[in-house]
Amino acid sequence: MTPLVGSVAAAKRERWRGRVRVRDGDKRLGAAELGERGLGERATLVQFSSAFCAPCRATRRVLTEVAGMVPGVSHVEIDAERHLDLVRRFGILKTPTVLVLDADGRIVRRAAGQPRRADVIAALGEAV
């Protein structure tokens, strides 16, 4: 029975890996937590990363490209190891984790793992 439970749990993790989904709708991030870049005029892509994370580098490229394509959208990368308070507050369990914020800093979408560009663009549609 235990192997089946493990297989089901693994299947669920794999199913959600990298997908952008709704979560934490009542939580917010402000300019103080985001540092000098602050919130974007229309939306903000917040990426939690770690130093030795290969998917984090690929995610950085995708988010930087999308932020450059959409006016008023900024990309902020947060070092998860240096900001454990935020990691705990927002339940970050792995890197990369991407939070899509609206103009007020409210979390409208969340993805754990490397998101696809099309999913990020679609998530921005809800934020702007």
Side-chain angles (χ1 to χ4, degrees):
M1 186 167 183
T2 305
L4 179 61
V5 172
S7 297
V8 171
K12 284 185 177 181
R13 278 193 308 271
E14 191 63 33
R15 192 177 107 211
W16 286 106
R17 184 170 289 150
R19 294 215 179 140
V20 180
R21 61 189 187 275
V22 175
R23 189 168 168 179
D24 300 328
D26 58 336
K27 293 186 179 179
R28 294 176 187 264
L29 268 168
E33 292 107 348
L34 297 177
E36 62 187 54
R37 293 263 335 235
L39 290 169
E41 191 177 305
R42 296 176 65 199
T44 306
L45 301 169
V46 178
Q47 175 184 349
F48 284 86
S49 299
S50 54
F52 299 104
C53 169
C56 293
R57 291 187 289 276
T59 299
R60 180 183 313 119
R61 285 190 298 272
V62 168
L63 297 181
T64 300
E65 180 181 319
V66 171
M69 291 172 24
V70 183
V73 174
S74 67
H75 169 230
V76 176
E77 189 168 2
I78 295 174
D79 184 347
E81 296 169 22
R82 291 185 181 188
H83 297 282
L84 291 176
D85 56 329
L86 293 177
V87 167
R88 289 183 188 109
R89 181 173 153 201
F90 294 103
I92 307 300
L93 300 176
K94 66 182 284 185
T95 57
T97 292
V98 177
L99 305 177
V100 180
L101 311 178
D102 64 11
D104 297 323
R106 186 175 56 90
I107 300 170
V108 295
R109 290 285 185 171
R110 174 186 185 117
Q114 183 179 341
R116 298 179 307 174
R117 180 183 352 228
D119 292 336
V120 174
I121 293 169
L124 278 175
E126 287 188 38
V128 294

